[in-house]
Amino acid sequence: MPRPVVAEPVGPEDDNDVRNKPLRGKTALVTGAARRLGRASALALASAGADVAITFRNSSREARETVVDLSALGVRAFALRCDITDEASVRGMMKEAGRELGRIDILVNNAGIQFVANVEDFPVEKWDAVIATNLSAVFHTCRCAVPGMKRRGWGRIINIASAHGL
């Protein structure tokens, strides 16, 4: 597995008040966070003080930019390439994220894909890809994160879905 893209915190450290940084000391992993909603979620978690790992599949340039922006908020941040549709890849990514962060306190399952077509025109391979990305990947990441959260007696999982699921 390739080493993660890592950036050290460069932001101000003078704002240690827990009221301003309620997630200081917590760690978060956000899937599919190089762009759009995942990026915004990662930035919100970092703004609240959490160290943040993000995953990406193809958006390596955007992932690097996101890591730089996260680090500018004064938190540890890094990105890991991961095919979240592959259980072994997810296990490896979660293990690497745990090594880098020490633990995963908050998991945000954001990665998702869409394909819109009438059922009679919906290609089976597209259906399989949507199910693997939007459903099975959530199962795999939760399955990896929950045991540590249970051991520590604390954890949060946020699963993001699209209206397209309706």
Side-chain angles (χ1 to χ4, degrees), residues 32-111:
R35 302 180 291 145
R36 296 187 292 269
L37 183 59
R39 174 184 164 81
S41 299
L43 288 166
L45 289 162
S47 293
D51 292 331
V52 181
I54 66 168
T55 71
F56 67 98
R57 182 174 44 186
N58 298 318
S59 306
S60 59
R61 181 182 53 79
E62 292 94 337
R64 282 192 300 277
E65 292 169 0
T66 299
V67 166
V68 168
D69 291 344
L70 291 166
S71 299
L73 295 170
V75 301
R76 288 184 303 140
F78 67 97
L80 290 165
R81 181 182 304 273
C82 181
D83 176 359
I84 62 168
T85 68
D86 178 69
E87 181 185 7
S89 182
V90 169
R91 276 196 317 269
M93 175 274 297
M94 293 293 284
K95 190 176 285 189
E96 186 65 28
R99 271 195 297 269
E100 291 289 330
L101 293 176
R103 67 189 184 284
I104 303 297
D105 295 316
I106 302 163
L107 169 62
V108 180
N109 284 306
N110 167 75

Side-chain angles (χ1 to χ4, degrees), residues 1-16:
M1 178 170 214
R3 296 291 302 155
V5 176
V6 178
E8 291 301 317
V10 295
E13 287 296 323
D14 60 337
D15 191 7
N16 288 322

Side-chain angles (χ1 to χ4, degrees), residues 137-153:
V138 172
F139 171 75
H140 298 313
T141 56
C142 288
R143 195 164 176 229
C144 290
V146 164
M149 291 176 175
K150 283 177 134 179
R151 258 191 326 277
R152 290 185 303 281

